[in-house]
Amino acid sequence: MAVPVGSDEAVPSRPMNVEQIVKKAQSFDYNPLIPLKYWFRTAGTLLKEAEIYEHEGNDQQTYLLLFRHAQLVLRYLALHQDVKLPENKIALAQAEREVQIGLAKLEVLKPRINKRFERYEQLMKDRDARKASASPSKSKAVAGLGGLRDESQHRRIQSDPAVAGAREALAADDNKELAVRLAHKELRRRAVARKATRQAGISEEVEQGRRTAGVWGNWEEALANDDRDTDRDNLSRQLQNVRRQADTIHQNGAPKLLSGSTSSVYSYPTVPEQRANTTSKFEPLYAHLSHLSQDRTKSLNDMPSLPPKPPPKDTPYSPFKTPPLIPAKPVHVTQDASMRYDTASSTQADLKPSTFTFKPSAYLENGSPLRTIFLPPNLRHNFLSIAQANTRANLETCGILCGTLISNAFFISKLVIPDQESTSDTCETINESELFDYVDGEDLMVLGWIHTHPTQTCFMSSRDLHTHCGYQMMMPESIAIVCAPSKGDWGVFRLTDPPGMKSVLNCTQTGLFHPHAEPNIYTDALRPGHVHEAKGLEFEVIDLRPKQ
């Protein structure tokens, strides 16, 4: 197995305690003007990320995401102006049930995180004591210089729960080959597990319920315990085991949280009966856990499987429109040959996401870390081929960049072309429910979008800025790729934060092209930035447009 380059393996960085993580979790912006349906998808993204970090054994980041999800749902979404709509009441009840499950996990994680922090502190004290006793004057001088150097190098890492305390913190740019091999193996494992559960007769609703309840990771492991073994008899036994486990869960009622840290039964808390007015910063969540009730959990069985349809194109103010997308000659679903994973590779067996952690590749202007996005270099070329007919007709084309989270980095693995309508300057998604069906059914995350400027240069128009703001609000790492085929140019962009995000969120202008006061409203995310092209990273094209 290749040795990672640029890892901080010798001395793990300082872990964080729960108090420090909670402070981080409470620090994010909330805008009540954003439609509630977008906040529900944001909440779902937080849970999806938490599930992956939990599966990889990253307790700190799991705690941060679950706590932030609870804060968002209990303190903000329940007071949103759209909450009285019938479909939103049902969605809120579902979100609150997911919070209850998350709170139970927080109770399990809390002592584990604090114990690790206390153990690290004691080990450092013991080490310093040994150094001091060996040579007091010399150790003081060395410790002073080392402390300054460590403070300068690790200050940001130590404040990021995703990497604080990690033994192997990898620099993305130095470990692209490792990242690609890691992605190949993990994506295959997840695909095998997902296929096996469906062959076992487990519905998507039950599958998602197991994930939400926190038991998915355990029996998913049973499905794909050994990626090298594809023997039909073994797979058959795995399917039988999954079916038996699913039947057992059905017979015993609601699934119980699987954890190994407590023998007592934890009663799931529910939402507060009374909530304080929203403020710019969150108040502590635990202060409200003793005032919980179950009034909001009665209509959960009616929870819709899809989010509400977004506002029409002519809505006066909606900076969170789904990325514009356009009709073109349908292209058959294609798949790179490299998506057929090499199961015979001896090094693949040694790669586990829990073994590695990728450092943030960049930081927002406010200091928040941006996790790496690994981008297939040939994705834009395939996209331009798909868009060629539209480009000749001077029509924009758009696609959705989807992928997943592995070892604290995002990997783009799907280019989804939704059903769409377009002009020379715009493109709009139609039949959006089909898009969300596919994304949710494949357990994907939306990582951004890509679109063409058929005759214009490569830049982010005011319309593009408002579109992308919705993506970046749901996930700060989200990117917008702009291709200008007539100029032979392309770029990868994100909004600055500050001032870009706030400027666009507060903008109420509705014209197709309108100015924004700030000169640095968006920036390059590729050179330099948190996006890295990774040669050999495969992706699949999924064309959802109707065949003509």
Side-chain angles (χ1 to χ4, degrees):
M1 176 178 166
V3 178
V5 179
S7 66
D8 297 332
E9 185 175 4
V11 180
S13 61
R14 181 192 184 98
M16 301 176 72
N17 59 27
V18 166
E19 182 180 357
Q20 294 167 335
I21 297 172
V22 166
K23 185 176 180 180
K24 283 284 182 182
Q26 292 171 337
S27 178
F28 71 92
D29 295 324
Y30 172 78
N31 189 325
L33 297 179
I34 298 172
L36 183 56
K37 57 192 170 187
Y38 296 107
W39 281 118
F40 280 139
R41 291 202 66 83
T42 299
T45 299
L46 290 173
L47 286 182
K48 194 171 290 187
E49 289 186 29
E51 176 198 337
I52 293 173
Y53 280 111
E54 181 183 15
H55 188 274
E56 294 179 358
N58 192 325
D59 290 350
Q60 294 179 159
Q61 188 69 2
T62 302
Y63 195 99
L64 179 142
L65 292 165
L66 291 177
F67 195 99
R68 181 171 291 174
H69 175 265
Q71 290 275 2
L72 176 63
V73 173
L74 298 185
R75 294 307 204 60
Y76 285 84
L77 304 193
L79 296 176
H80 196 281
Q81 59 185 359
D82 297 340
V83 79
K84 294 182 180 180
L85 297 176
E87 63 270 21
N88 288 339
K89 287 183 179 180
I90 297 172
L92 179 62
Q94 170 67 13
E96 287 173 342
R97 186 171 76 171
E98 291 166 344
V99 167
Q100 294 172 12
I101 297 171
L103 292 175
K105 293 183 179 182
L106 291 178
E107 291 299 314
V108 171
L109 292 171
K110 183 177 180 179
R112 204 155 71 201
I113 291 171
N114 282 337
K115 183 176 180 180
R116 183 183 180 217
F117 175 80
E118 292 164 2
R119 182 171 179 271
Y120 178 91
E121 292 287 282
Q122 187 59 49
L123 288 174
M124 292 301 101
K125 289 180 181 178
D126 294 345
R127 186 188 68 173
D128 292 344
R130 288 195 298 271
K131 287 183 178 179
S133 62
S135 178
S137 58
K138 182 178 179 180
S139 62
K140 279 186 179 181
V142 173
L145 292 173
L148 290 174
R149 209 160 34 235
D150 184 73
E151 181 67 21
S152 174
Q153 184 177 4
H154 297 295
R155 183 168 42 211
R156 278 177 162 172
I157 289 180
Q158 290 174 347
S159 64
D160 181 1
V163 295
R167 182 165 292 277
E168 288 199 73
L170 306 182
D173 198 45
D174 296 330
N175 293 277
K176 292 180 181 179
E177 182 181 348
L178 173 65
V180 169
R181 291 193 292 110
L182 182 66
H184 287 179
K185 182 172 187 293
E186 179 62 11
L187 289 173
R188 180 185 178 277
R189 184 195 68 80
R190 295 183 188 181
V192 169
R194 192 162 52 247
K195 181 179 179 180
T197 58
R198 290 171 185 174
Q199 289 178 343
I202 299 173
S203 68
E204 290 187 12
E205 291 78 8
V206 172
E207 176 184 327
Q208 187 59 41
R210 301 300 169 260
R211 290 181 180 276
T212 303
V215 303
W216 174 261
N218 295 281
W219 50 285
E220 185 184 58
E221 281 293 330
L223 288 169
N225 190 39
D226 187 350
D227 289 330
R228 294 164 296 173
D229 189 356
T230 57
D231 181 79
R232 182 172 298 178
D233 293 336
N234 286 344
L235 179 59
S236 176
R237 285 195 296 272
Q238 290 174 351
L239 296 176
Q240 293 172 11
N241 289 338
V242 170
R243 183 180 292 278
R244 281 197 297 269
Q245 293 183 39
D247 292 341
T248 301
I249 292 173
H250 278 299
Q251 294 170 5
N252 295 340
K256 297 179 180 179
L257 179 69
L258 297 183
S259 62
S261 63
T262 178
S263 59
S264 61
V265 178
Y266 183 85
S267 300
Y268 290 153
T270 54
V271 298
E273 293 181 352
Q274 297 180 348
R275 298 176 176 85
N277 293 331
T278 56
T279 59
S280 59
K281 294 294 181 181
F282 291 118
E283 300 172 16
L285 177 66
Y286 289 131
H288 295 262
L289 298 185
S290 60
H291 305 290
L292 304 175
S293 68
Q294 299 179 349
D295 294 341
R296 297 181 177 271
T297 58
K298 297 178 180 178
S299 304
L300 297 177
N301 292 331
D302 299 325
M303 174 65 187
S305 59
L306 296 173
K309 188 180 174 70
K313 182 176 179 179
D314 57 347
T315 300
Y317 170 66
S318 179
F320 288 83
K321 285 182 112 41
T322 304
L325 306 163
I326 47 176
K329 183 178 179 181
V331 180
H332 292 294
V333 174
T334 60
Q335 181 174 347
D336 281 26
S338 52
M339 284 297 286
R340 305 182 189 95
Y341 299 103
D342 180 12
T343 58
S345 173
S346 60
T347 58
Q348 293 283 83
D350 301 325
L351 296 174
K352 293 183 179 180
S354 58
T355 308
F356 307 101
T357 302
F358 287 98
K359 300 176 184 178
S361 291
Y363 292 82
L364 289 173
E365 289 70 18
N366 62 18
S368 299
L370 288 172
R371 291 163 291 187
T372 299
I373 290 182
F374 286 105
L375 172 69
N378 56 334
L379 183 144
R380 69 181 185 277
H381 301 298
N382 285 34
F383 174 68
L384 286 174
S385 297
I386 294 170
Q388 190 172 19
N390 279 357
T391 301
R392 285 197 298 263
N394 193 24
L395 296 173
E396 284 196 5
T397 307
C398 182
I400 310 299
L401 305 173
C402 298
T404 192
L405 177 67
I406 302 172
S407 300
N408 200 46
F410 293 105
F411 293 80
I412 294 176
S413 59
K414 306 278 186 180
L415 169 60
V416 182
I417 311 296
D419 199 2
Q420 51 195 267
E421 293 178 343
S422 71
T423 69
S424 59
D425 300 311
T426 64
C427 46
E428 298 288 342
T429 302
I430 58 178
N431 194 15
E432 192 176 51
S433 62
E434 184 181 18
L435 169 63
F436 288 149
D437 269 347
Y438 177 78
V439 170
D440 294 339
E442 293 297 312
D443 203 26
L444 295 169
M445 295 178 183
V446 175
L447 303 178
W449 59 301
I450 181 172
H451 75 290
T452 57
H453 286 176
T455 59
Q456 300 184 61
T457 57
C458 178
F459 72 105
M460 291 283 280
S461 69
S462 55
R463 180 64 170 267
D464 295 340
L465 295 174
H466 281 262
T467 297
H468 187 65
C469 189
Y471 284 94
Q472 202 165 316
M473 197 70 195
M474 288 189 286
M475 182 179 290
E477 290 85 359
S478 296
I479 58 173
I481 301 179
V482 181
C483 299
S486 66
K487 312 300 180 184
D489 196 10
W490 71 289
V492 184
F493 306 109
R494 67 168 175 85
L495 294 177
T496 56
D497 189 10
M501 283 292 291
K502 185 176 181 180
S503 175
V504 176
L505 283 171
N506 292 335
C507 177
T508 57
Q509 301 181 72
T510 58
L512 188 59
F513 295 101
H514 57 268
H516 294 92
E518 289 75 9
N520 58 332
I521 203 165
Y522 69 94
T523 187
D524 197 326
L526 182 65
R527 295 180 290 268
H530 67 292
V531 178
H532 293 265
E533 290 188 289
K535 184 178 180 180
L537 184 61
E538 305 88 8
F539 69 97
E540 186 177 3
V541 177
I542 305 297
D543 197 335
L544 299 180
R545 295 172 297 178
K547 306 305 175 187
Q548 297 178 351

